[in-house]
Amino acid sequence: MERKFPSIKLLLLSAAALLIFFSPLRGQNPLQKQFDMAERLYNEGLYFDAVTEYKRLQFFDSLKQYEYASDFKIAMSYKMGGMFDNAILYFVKAEKSAPSPKEKYESEIQNIRTNILRKTTPRALELLAKLEADSVNGSNLDEIHYWKGWAYMFGDDFARAALEFSLSAQGEELKNICLATDAGKYSVTFAKVISYILPGAGEIYTGNYLQGILSLGWNLASGYWMVSSFAEKKVLEGILIGDLLFLRFYRGNIQNASKYAVEKNLEITNKTLFYIQNNYRGIKP
Amino acid sequence: MKLRYLSLIIIYLLILTGKVFPQDFFSPENRLKFGSSLFEQKDYLRAAIEFEAYLKYNDKDTVRYNLARAYLEMEKYGQAEDNFKSLFSSLTLQNDAKFGVIKSLFFKGDYNSLRTNALVSPYFSQEYEIPLRRIVNISYILDDKAKYDPAKIVSVFPADKQPALLEMLEQRMNPPYKSPLTAALLSAVIPGLGKAYAGEYTDGLIALAATGLSIYFAADSFNAGNNFKGWLFTGLSAFFYGGNIYGSAAAAQNYNAGIKFNLEKGLKLYFSANNYFLPKEKF
């Protein structure tokens, strides 16, 4: 009796059935599985391991299906780990591999935010200006102004920061903080100018009263000695006292006024940034 | 027969689609491939982790050698040395591994151990004789306490590099230092002269003028019966005179520090630019 073979159709059907059958057992494809593992590590805050697994994914992803996602997440992991240079490198890669303008924009914004954190303010502003110029129909302008505000704030220009925040719907609270900070800051130029006019005034303006009074005293005394020497027609003596005493105190008083104003401003800036870090609930770089 | 062929086709299809044997990214071979790629990207820490994982399954000499190199790049000299040493029995890589240990000692700055071991067994190898001699000589040059003959030291380097190197070494052996004591004494005799000796001519002239004039006005004020001004200028004179002596000694020290720094920096940059005359890695 002739043995009966199953038809080809039947065999192909069984192959398809097997494929379908195996799929749920095997779970997702290996690349997806690897991506999920990297995502889990990222979400757990294990950024070093996350970078490794995203890089492994990239290495085996010959069709570059996960190129953008992994570039972006590697950059984010580096950013979270404080490795800003590496983060920026991968954000730029992500910009290039972005599948759509939306993802490209997201990478560019993250690149800018990392530059703000890295305190490379000129670069952040340059990228923001480019983004603003590329902005279609003024879309995203609100967010661009918001990050410009942050860039200026980290660049210690609170007046311009306040101006940029005022142009963003989400920048109201930061605008007020920046205005208050700017109002509380000392003018270095003013401190120097009043010290030129009245020695010690700049030091008193910056709250250093004792130094201000001492400075005034030294300038008056040495000025008096200098003038009295000239009055006695002892020109060389007057020049010597003027150069070695009076001008030293006079120059010192101006330099001190400027130094104290800068120091005080730094204190005020740090206080503001510390406050924002701990109390501001909006989006931060 | 027909059934058998069809079954084979089905299995082939399943393998092709990755359903039966999906790609295992963590298989030893894949970890090695990934690690090698990381090594090329100079991500040495991650490369080392992958190499270590691979070596648990297969202690391959080339992989261990690259692991040691990764540690060397990360300046983890102890681990680099250990891994190089474990290759001393390797048939193909023992000479490279021996030279690797010497490189570890060199970059660690352990020049004494380097000089003790580099040219003797078990670290010496004929294959690396010239690089070994060069690295030993560089260790003498970079060690500011070592004594050596410059002409002998440069003889192991390429002929076209020898004249420049010799000039640098001779300068280093006899640096044009200024004596702080001489500078102070000169300024004690003539205010400002010590500064001029240390190369600060303008400062020297200013010091001479300031001290001389303040002494003159002190005397003039006392002669005129103005004791207050007399004492004021005397104080200033003493301040300028003493400050100038101290300043001259300090100027000479600064001058010497500048000379030393520039000579050493120049030598380090020279060797670094020439990759310490190290041979290229084989793979």
Side-chain angles (χ1 to χ4, degrees), chain A residues 3 5-6 8 11 14-15 18-19 22-23 26 30-31 34 37 47-48 51-53 55-56 59-60 78 90 225 228-229 232 234 236-237 240-241 244-245 248, chain B residues 1-3 6 10 14 17 19-20 22-23 25-26 30-31 33-34 37-38 41 43 45-46 49-50 210 213-214 217 220-221 224 226 228-229 232-233 236 240:
Chain A
R3 204 171 152 193
F5 287 105
I8 294 172
L11 276 165
S14 36
L18 269 169
L19 280 171
F22 269 104
S23 294
R26 293 282 168 193
L31 289 172
Q34 177 66 20
M37 179 170 72
Y47 299 117
F48 178 86
V51 170
T52 308
E53 298 316 322
K55 282 190 175 182
R56 195 188 308 276
F59 181 73
F60 291 105
Y78 276 133
Y90 273 90
W225 294 328
S228 66
S229 294
E232 287 167 26
K234 292 179 174 172
L236 258 177
E237 190 183 291
L240 194 71
I241 294 178
L244 298 180
L245 288 175
R248 259 167 202 247
Chain B
M1 280 306 280
K2 205 175 173 186
L3 181 63
L6 282 168
I10 289 166
L14 287 169
T17 51
K19 296 296 175 187
V20 170
Q23 195 178 8
F25 301 147
F26 291 88
N30 278 339
R31 294 201 82 159
K33 282 181 196 163
F34 178 50
S37 149
L38 290 168
Q41 291 169 37
D43 190 345
L45 180 56
R46 290 188 175 84
I49 293 170
E50 297 304 312
L213 283 171
S214 53
F217 289 124
D220 190 49
S221 300
N226 192 341
F228 174 74
K229 269 194 185 172
L232 181 73
F233 281 115
L236 272 176
F240 287 130

XYZ file of all heavy atoms in Angstrom, chain A residues 3 5-6 8 11 14-15 18-19 22-23 26 30-31 34 37 47-48 51-53 55-56 59-60 78 90 225 228-229 232 234 236-237 240-241 244-245 248, chain B residues 1-3 6 10 14 17 19-20 22-23 25-26 30-31 33-34 37-38 41 43 45-46 49-50 210 213-214 217 220-221 224 226 228-229 232-233 236 240:
679
model
N 2.277 4.756 0.758
C 2.189 5.641 1.922
C 1.688 7.016 1.507
O 2.124 7.572 0.491
C 3.592 5.785 2.546
C 3.512 6.156 3.948
C 4.890 6.062 4.544
N 5.018 6.982 5.637
C 6.149 7.303 6.189
N 7.259 6.772 5.737
N 6.189 8.132 7.200
N 1.459 10.939 1.724
C 2.179 12.115 2.259
C 1.223 13.282 2.425
O 0.308 13.431 1.625
C 3.302 12.528 1.295
C 4.455 11.571 1.334
C 4.653 10.663 0.300
C 5.325 11.558 2.432
C 5.701 9.776 0.360
C 6.363 10.668 2.452
C 6.560 9.779 1.435
N 1.447 14.096 3.411
C 0.585 15.280 3.523
C 0.887 16.241 2.376
O 1.995 16.277 1.860
C 0.980 15.897 4.858
C 2.300 15.337 5.182
C 2.444 14.049 4.457
N 1.644 19.759 0.292
C 2.547 20.905 0.568
C 1.791 22.010 1.291
O 2.289 22.652 2.208
C 3.136 21.425 -0.752
C 4.036 20.333 -1.331
C 3.942 22.706 -0.553
C 4.543 20.614 -2.704
N 1.592 21.333 4.859
C 2.881 21.546 5.539
C 3.165 23.032 5.767
O 3.617 23.440 6.834
C 4.016 20.927 4.728
C 4.213 19.456 4.995
C 5.069 18.831 3.918
C 4.844 19.243 6.368
N 1.099 24.264 8.526
C 1.618 23.883 9.846
C 2.834 24.721 10.218
O 3.047 25.050 11.382
C 1.939 22.397 9.935
O 2.438 21.973 8.726
N 3.628 25.101 9.204
C 4.782 25.971 9.487
C 4.322 27.310 10.023
O 4.854 27.827 11.014
C 5.593 26.176 8.223
N 3.145 26.950 13.446
C 4.294 26.843 14.370
C 4.882 28.222 14.693
O 5.192 28.524 15.838
C 5.382 25.969 13.745
C 5.310 24.485 14.049
C 6.284 23.724 13.157
C 5.626 24.220 15.516
N 5.006 28.997 13.619
C 5.557 30.353 13.810
C 4.711 31.146 14.794
O 5.203 31.787 15.714
C 5.607 31.104 12.474
C 6.770 30.778 11.561
C 6.560 31.429 10.201
C 8.069 31.257 12.160
N 4.984 29.630 18.305
C 6.227 29.909 19.018
C 6.338 31.357 19.488
O 6.970 31.637 20.473
C 7.446 29.556 18.142
C 7.904 28.143 18.352
C 7.627 27.148 17.420
C 8.611 27.802 19.500
C 8.042 25.847 17.628
C 9.038 26.502 19.704
C 8.739 25.517 18.761
N 5.727 32.251 18.712
C 5.889 33.671 19.040
C 5.546 34.035 20.474
O 6.369 34.596 21.176
C 5.082 34.520 18.074
O 5.657 34.376 16.816
N 8.066 32.510 22.890
C 9.383 33.122 22.856
C 9.350 34.585 23.317
O 10.376 35.184 23.562
C 9.947 33.088 21.424
C 10.234 31.704 20.962
C 11.535 31.216 21.561
N 11.658 29.792 21.344
C 12.541 29.046 21.947
N 13.354 29.577 22.824
N 12.605 27.763 21.704
N 14.427 39.559 20.029
C 15.572 39.821 20.920
C 15.921 41.291 21.055
O 16.297 41.741 22.139
C 16.715 39.062 20.262
C 16.098 38.105 19.340
C 14.771 38.614 18.950
N 15.792 42.049 19.959
C 16.132 43.474 20.030
C 15.170 44.221 20.948
O 15.575 45.047 21.762
C 16.117 44.100 18.636
C 17.253 43.673 17.712
C 17.018 44.200 16.302
C 18.597 44.158 18.225
N 15.963 43.379 24.435
C 17.152 44.114 24.879
C 16.791 45.568 25.180
O 17.226 46.135 26.182
C 18.230 44.043 23.768
C 19.492 44.822 24.056
C 20.292 44.272 25.224
O 20.136 43.121 25.615
N 21.129 45.111 25.818
N 15.006 45.779 28.429
C 15.916 45.627 29.569
C 16.653 46.953 29.830
O 16.762 47.407 30.979
C 16.936 44.523 29.300
C 17.919 44.355 30.439
S 18.948 42.919 30.296
C 20.006 43.391 28.983
N 22.118 54.161 35.544
C 22.467 54.779 34.269
C 23.696 54.169 33.601
O 23.761 54.088 32.384
C 22.633 56.294 34.455
C 21.364 56.933 34.941
C 21.298 57.568 36.186
C 20.208 56.876 34.181
C 20.125 58.127 36.647
C 19.022 57.434 34.630
C 18.994 58.057 35.859
O 17.829 58.602 36.316
N 24.666 53.767 34.406
C 25.860 53.146 33.799
C 25.459 51.882 33.043
O 25.817 51.687 31.880
C 26.906 52.818 34.875
C 28.123 52.143 34.311
C 29.175 52.894 33.794
C 28.207 50.756 34.263
C 30.285 52.268 33.244
C 29.312 50.128 33.714
C 30.356 50.887 33.208
N 23.412 52.584 29.912
C 24.242 52.971 28.745
C 24.828 51.719 28.099
O 24.800 51.555 26.878
C 25.371 53.958 29.158
C 26.369 54.152 28.028
C 24.786 55.301 29.553
N 25.335 50.799 28.941
C 25.929 49.566 28.395
C 24.902 48.817 27.545
O 25.194 48.383 26.428
C 26.403 48.641 29.539
O 27.232 49.398 30.409
C 27.177 47.452 29.020
N 23.692 48.670 28.096
C 22.697 47.859 27.387
C 22.162 48.553 26.139
O 21.868 47.896 25.144
C 21.564 47.440 28.332
C 22.034 46.562 29.495
C 23.022 45.459 29.086
O 22.868 44.871 27.998
O 23.971 45.181 29.856
N 23.974 50.520 24.362
C 25.079 50.388 23.402
C 25.104 48.979 22.811
O 25.397 48.793 21.641
C 26.421 50.693 24.078
C 26.669 52.182 24.257
C 28.088 52.459 24.687
C 28.361 53.948 24.741
N 29.738 54.268 25.099
N 24.781 47.970 23.671
C 24.736 46.583 23.182
C 23.633 46.474 22.127
O 23.800 45.842 21.082
C 24.468 45.628 24.343
C 24.777 44.164 23.998
C 24.310 43.218 25.099
N 24.784 43.590 26.414
C 25.984 43.257 26.913
N 26.804 42.516 26.184
N 26.338 43.640 28.108
N 24.765 47.860 18.946
C 25.757 47.021 18.302
C 25.101 45.892 17.497
O 25.547 45.554 16.403
C 26.713 46.435 19.353
C 27.793 45.572 18.770
C 28.851 46.139 18.069
C 27.755 44.199 18.919
C 29.837 45.348 17.524
C 28.741 43.404 18.370
C 29.785 43.973 17.671
N 24.025 45.332 18.067
C 23.388 44.197 17.377
C 22.230 44.617 16.468
O 21.700 43.809 15.732
C 22.901 43.168 18.408
C 24.036 42.465 19.087
C 24.389 42.781 20.396
C 24.781 41.513 18.413
C 25.455 42.149 21.024
C 25.851 40.881 19.024
C 26.195 41.199 20.339
N 23.723 59.589 30.267
C 24.946 60.351 30.535
C 24.598 61.659 31.245
O 25.283 62.082 32.173
C 25.702 60.644 29.239
C 26.608 59.519 28.760
C 26.590 59.104 27.439
C 27.505 58.909 29.631
C 27.434 58.087 26.989
C 28.350 57.892 29.186
C 28.310 57.488 27.869
O 29.151 56.487 27.439
N 25.864 62.381 22.285
C 24.788 61.476 21.891
C 23.501 62.213 21.541
O 22.713 61.726 20.731
C 24.564 60.405 22.973
C 25.479 59.224 22.754
C 26.737 59.178 23.324
C 25.110 58.182 21.909
C 27.605 58.125 23.096
C 25.968 57.115 21.663
C 27.210 57.089 22.259
O 28.053 56.036 21.993
N 48.667 114.801 53.135
C 50.145 114.846 53.108
C 50.642 115.228 51.724
O 51.585 115.999 51.584
C 50.739 113.489 53.513
C 50.463 113.133 54.942
C 50.348 113.991 55.989
C 50.268 111.817 55.453
N 50.077 113.288 57.154
C 50.026 111.949 56.851
C 50.267 110.531 54.900
C 49.778 110.849 57.682
C 50.034 109.445 55.723
C 49.790 109.607 57.095
N 49.873 118.947 51.138
C 50.722 119.827 51.946
C 52.148 119.865 51.403
O 52.799 120.906 51.444
C 50.689 119.430 53.427
O 51.273 118.182 53.582
N 52.617 118.738 50.854
C 53.955 118.729 50.259
C 54.003 119.649 49.046
O 54.959 120.409 48.876
C 54.351 117.311 49.821
O 54.478 116.507 50.941
N 54.043 123.163 50.109
C 55.372 123.609 50.578
C 56.369 123.656 49.420
O 57.587 123.765 49.636
C 55.886 122.635 51.652
C 55.165 122.759 52.981
C 55.478 121.584 53.914
O 56.558 120.953 53.779
O 54.613 121.261 54.751
N 57.347 121.268 47.664
C 58.211 120.079 47.591
C 57.550 119.116 46.595
O 56.843 118.173 46.977
C 58.344 119.437 48.965
C 59.115 120.318 49.931
C 59.204 119.658 51.284
C 60.093 120.471 52.204
N 60.057 119.964 53.570
N 58.702 116.901 44.315
C 59.106 115.485 44.272
C 58.512 114.699 45.438
O 58.016 113.584 45.280
C 60.624 115.388 44.310
C 61.307 115.122 42.969
C 62.808 115.131 43.139
C 60.853 113.785 42.410
N 58.554 115.334 46.600
C 57.986 114.688 47.803
C 56.492 114.462 47.610
O 55.960 113.388 47.934
C 58.253 115.595 49.008
C 57.920 114.930 50.324
C 58.135 115.894 51.490
O 59.284 116.233 51.788
O 57.117 116.289 52.102
N 55.978 111.621 45.286
C 56.267 110.335 45.943
C 55.124 109.917 46.873
O 54.657 108.770 46.835
C 57.574 110.438 46.724
C 58.144 109.098 47.159
C 58.693 108.324 45.973
C 59.247 109.280 48.183
N 54.676 110.869 47.680
C 53.564 110.536 48.590
C 52.309 110.221 47.779
O 51.579 109.271 48.061
C 53.288 111.700 49.579
C 54.490 111.883 50.513
C 52.026 111.423 50.404
C 54.352 113.031 51.495
N 53.039 106.711 46.052
C 53.221 105.543 46.929
C 52.137 105.401 47.998
O 51.882 104.296 48.470
C 54.593 105.607 47.607
C 55.786 105.561 46.660
C 57.090 105.638 47.434
C 55.763 104.289 45.827
N 51.530 106.508 48.374
C 50.502 106.401 49.416
C 49.099 106.694 48.879
O 48.252 105.804 48.808
C 50.819 107.338 50.583
C 51.987 106.928 51.461
C 52.260 108.001 52.502
C 51.686 105.612 52.170
N 47.826 104.620 45.944
C 47.645 103.227 46.368
C 46.309 103.050 47.093
O 45.552 102.123 46.823
C 48.773 102.787 47.299
C 49.785 101.979 46.573
C 51.046 101.791 47.339
N 52.103 101.486 46.394
C 52.713 100.313 46.323
N 52.396 99.365 47.154
N 53.641 100.078 45.430
N 10.485 10.771 1.739
C 11.584 11.679 1.381
C 11.127 13.114 1.246
O 11.757 14.057 1.728
C 12.203 11.241 0.042
C 13.160 10.098 0.182
S 14.456 10.393 1.401
C 15.552 11.406 0.438
N 9.970 13.257 0.580
C 9.422 14.585 0.339
C 9.141 15.294 1.668
O 9.434 16.485 1.840
C 8.130 14.409 -0.458
C 7.747 15.610 -1.288
C 6.534 15.233 -2.109
C 5.978 16.424 -2.843
N 4.723 16.069 -3.504
N 8.603 14.483 2.592
C 8.259 15.016 3.919
C 9.511 15.498 4.649
O 9.526 16.555 5.274
C 7.554 13.925 4.737
C 7.109 14.343 6.130
C 6.074 15.457 6.069
C 6.574 13.163 6.895
N 10.672 18.778 3.247
C 9.790 19.872 3.666
C 10.015 20.244 5.125
O 10.000 21.414 5.498
C 8.327 19.496 3.428
C 7.904 19.637 1.963
C 6.561 18.980 1.726
C 7.839 21.109 1.564
N 11.080 23.852 6.697
C 10.339 24.530 7.781
C 11.293 24.928 8.910
O 11.288 26.061 9.388
C 9.203 23.618 8.300
C 8.114 23.522 7.231
C 8.627 24.162 9.607
C 7.128 22.404 7.467
N 12.253 28.619 10.286
C 12.103 28.994 11.703
C 13.400 29.592 12.245
O 13.391 30.593 12.950
C 11.687 27.784 12.543
C 10.239 27.340 12.348
C 10.029 25.994 13.000
C 9.274 28.362 12.904
N 13.952 33.096 10.867
C 13.143 34.151 11.486
C 13.490 34.318 12.972
O 12.893 35.122 13.667
C 11.640 33.854 11.346
O 11.430 32.523 11.805
C 11.176 33.985 9.916
N 12.986 32.296 15.413
C 11.985 31.838 16.370
C 12.470 30.656 17.194
O 12.074 30.473 18.329
C 10.699 31.449 15.636
C 10.028 32.613 14.942
C 9.569 33.642 15.939
C 9.005 34.862 15.254
N 8.696 35.932 16.192
N 13.297 29.828 16.575
C 13.735 28.649 17.319
C 14.963 28.968 18.164
O 14.990 28.693 19.346
C 14.017 27.487 16.341
C 14.709 26.346 17.064
C 12.726 27.010 15.744
N 16.702 32.227 18.975
C 16.867 33.681 18.872
C 18.292 34.073 19.227
O 18.958 33.402 20.004
C 15.872 34.236 19.875
C 15.602 33.136 20.809
C 15.829 31.867 20.085
N 18.731 35.213 18.647
C 20.091 35.674 18.867
C 20.299 35.983 20.353
O 19.517 36.718 20.939
C 20.307 36.926 18.029
C 21.745 37.286 17.897
C 21.912 38.506 17.021
O 20.946 39.158 16.643
N 23.150 38.804 16.704
N 22.373 37.904 22.815
C 23.362 38.978 22.869
C 24.391 38.751 23.969
O 25.423 39.401 23.999
C 22.685 40.334 23.109
C 21.687 40.705 22.043
C 20.563 41.449 22.358
C 21.887 40.316 20.727
C 19.651 41.792 21.377
C 20.973 40.663 19.744
C 19.855 41.404 20.071
N 24.057 37.853 24.883
C 24.949 37.641 26.025
C 25.756 36.346 25.904
O 26.342 35.901 26.879
C 24.149 37.658 27.329
C 23.629 39.034 27.639
C 22.408 39.455 27.141
C 24.378 39.918 28.387
C 21.935 40.731 27.393
C 23.916 41.198 28.644
C 22.696 41.604 28.142
N 29.300 36.798 21.518
C 28.712 38.123 21.285
C 29.243 39.160 22.275
O 29.395 40.332 21.937
C 27.185 38.046 21.354
C 26.621 37.554 20.036
O 27.278 37.643 19.003
N 25.408 37.014 20.066
N 29.494 38.716 23.483
C 30.065 39.654 24.469
C 31.463 40.088 24.020
O 31.850 41.233 24.177
C 30.127 39.007 25.857
C 28.732 38.742 26.418
C 28.751 38.598 27.904
N 28.744 39.909 28.531
C 28.357 40.134 29.784
N 27.960 39.125 30.546
N 28.380 41.334 30.293
N 32.512 40.215 20.885
C 32.376 41.134 19.740
C 32.001 42.534 20.229
O 32.557 43.536 19.785
C 31.282 40.620 18.790
C 31.725 39.493 17.901
C 30.584 39.087 16.990
C 30.834 37.733 16.366
N 29.605 37.146 15.823
N 31.056 42.558 21.155
C 30.593 43.849 21.689
C 31.724 44.550 22.448
O 31.958 45.750 22.280
C 29.377 43.605 22.589
C 28.830 44.835 23.250
C 28.548 45.979 22.512
C 28.579 44.859 24.625
C 28.047 47.125 23.125
C 28.082 45.995 25.236
C 27.814 47.126 24.488
N 34.182 46.084 20.144
C 33.653 47.328 19.563
C 33.774 48.483 20.574
O 34.158 49.594 20.220
C 32.200 47.104 19.146
O 31.453 48.264 19.245
N 33.479 48.179 21.834
C 33.611 49.216 22.881
C 35.071 49.644 23.028
O 35.376 50.816 23.215
C 33.090 48.692 24.217
C 31.590 48.475 24.326
C 31.253 47.680 25.589
C 30.834 49.800 24.349
N 35.937 52.023 20.488
C 35.331 53.334 20.782
C 35.999 54.008 21.979
O 35.567 55.065 22.421
C 33.846 53.165 21.119
C 32.954 52.753 19.991
C 31.562 52.365 20.501
O 31.037 52.953 21.429
N 30.988 51.346 19.893
N 35.789 53.086 24.978
C 34.959 52.955 26.179
C 35.547 51.774 26.962
O 34.995 50.670 26.998
C 33.505 52.704 25.771
C 32.548 52.788 26.959
O 33.037 52.755 28.107
O 31.330 52.867 26.742
N 36.130 50.985 30.132
C 35.526 50.367 31.311
C 34.498 49.313 30.895
O 34.515 48.176 31.381
C 34.877 51.448 32.191
C 34.213 50.958 33.461
C 35.185 50.165 34.324
C 33.656 52.129 34.261
N 33.627 49.702 29.980
C 32.610 48.736 29.522
C 33.265 47.594 28.740
O 32.843 46.441 28.851
C 31.551 49.433 28.673
C 30.678 50.341 29.482
C 29.504 50.890 28.704
N 28.673 51.655 29.602
C 28.891 52.930 29.925
N 29.902 53.571 29.408
N 28.104 53.550 30.771
N 34.556 45.065 31.163
C 33.487 44.243 31.752
C 33.104 43.110 30.790
O 32.947 41.954 31.187
C 32.257 45.126 32.095
C 32.619 46.090 33.225
C 31.054 44.266 32.468
C 31.583 47.171 33.493
N 33.013 43.441 29.508
C 32.641 42.425 28.516
C 33.754 41.388 28.360
O 33.485 40.187 28.285
C 32.351 43.075 27.155
C 31.171 44.036 27.155
C 29.870 43.421 27.646
O 29.507 42.317 27.190
O 29.228 44.045 28.523
N 62.053 103.977 44.333
C 61.181 104.094 45.510
C 62.009 104.127 46.795
O 61.793 104.985 47.666
C 60.202 102.932 45.545
N 64.338 107.428 46.824
C 63.592 108.662 47.070
C 63.034 108.718 48.487
O 63.070 109.765 49.139
C 62.454 108.802 46.053
C 62.882 109.267 44.654
C 61.731 109.168 43.675
C 63.406 110.702 44.703
N 62.521 107.604 48.968
C 61.944 107.635 50.321
C 63.041 107.886 51.370
O 62.813 108.594 52.354
C 61.133 106.376 50.632
O 61.897 105.245 50.387
N 63.816 111.625 51.144
C 62.791 112.474 51.774
C 62.754 112.308 53.289
O 62.412 113.247 54.002
C 61.412 112.197 51.167
C 61.308 112.721 49.772
C 60.959 111.903 48.723
C 61.605 114.066 49.500
C 60.883 112.387 47.432
C 61.530 114.550 48.206
C 61.167 113.705 47.166
N 65.552 114.513 54.352
C 65.158 115.897 54.119
C 64.138 116.374 55.162
O 64.239 117.493 55.670
C 64.561 115.992 52.707
C 64.355 117.436 52.300
O 65.302 118.225 52.451
O 63.229 117.764 51.846
N 63.193 115.501 55.490
C 62.156 115.871 56.464
C 62.759 116.060 57.848
O 62.420 117.012 58.559
C 61.068 114.799 56.525
O 60.486 114.660 55.270
N 64.541 119.266 57.957
C 63.632 120.419 57.991
C 62.887 120.499 59.322
O 62.016 121.358 59.499
C 62.653 120.327 56.835
N 60.719 118.362 60.395
C 59.389 117.713 60.320
C 59.543 116.231 60.658
O 59.738 115.382 59.792
C 58.805 117.911 58.911
C 57.337 117.535 58.869
O 56.852 116.828 59.747
N 56.637 118.027 57.851
N 57.426 114.100 61.928
C 56.350 113.184 61.520
C 56.601 112.633 60.116
O 56.593 111.433 59.877
C 54.985 113.894 61.567
C 53.881 113.037 61.015
C 53.387 111.964 61.733
C 53.366 113.278 59.733
C 52.393 111.158 61.217
C 52.376 112.478 59.216
C 51.881 111.418 59.966
N 56.848 113.566 59.197
C 57.125 113.148 57.824
C 58.416 112.342 57.758
O 58.535 111.391 56.972
C 57.238 114.370 56.914
C 55.918 114.758 56.288
C 56.157 115.735 55.169
C 54.825 116.222 54.625
N 55.025 117.304 53.660
N 57.586 108.948 58.785
C 56.725 108.351 57.745
C 57.583 107.825 56.596
O 57.442 106.666 56.168
C 55.737 109.413 57.227
C 54.754 108.940 56.150
C 53.693 108.038 56.747
C 54.101 110.135 55.475
N 58.517 108.651 56.135
C 59.388 108.216 55.033
C 60.388 107.158 55.477
O 60.772 106.299 54.681
C 60.104 109.427 54.433
C 59.223 110.206 53.491
C 58.842 111.505 53.777
C 58.759 109.615 52.324
C 58.024 112.212 52.913
C 57.940 110.315 51.453
C 57.568 111.616 51.752
N 58.524 104.027 55.311
C 58.374 103.620 53.900
C 59.685 103.070 53.341
O 59.700 102.066 52.637
C 57.962 104.828 53.055
C 56.467 105.112 52.929
C 56.236 106.399 52.149
C 55.754 103.956 52.245
N 60.267 99.417 51.821
C 60.731 99.172 50.449
C 62.039 98.399 50.434
O 62.227 97.500 49.620
C 60.927 100.496 49.700
C 59.626 101.149 49.331
C 59.380 102.480 49.628
C 58.624 100.426 48.690
C 58.178 103.069 49.293
C 57.425 101.017 48.344
C 57.199 102.350 48.656
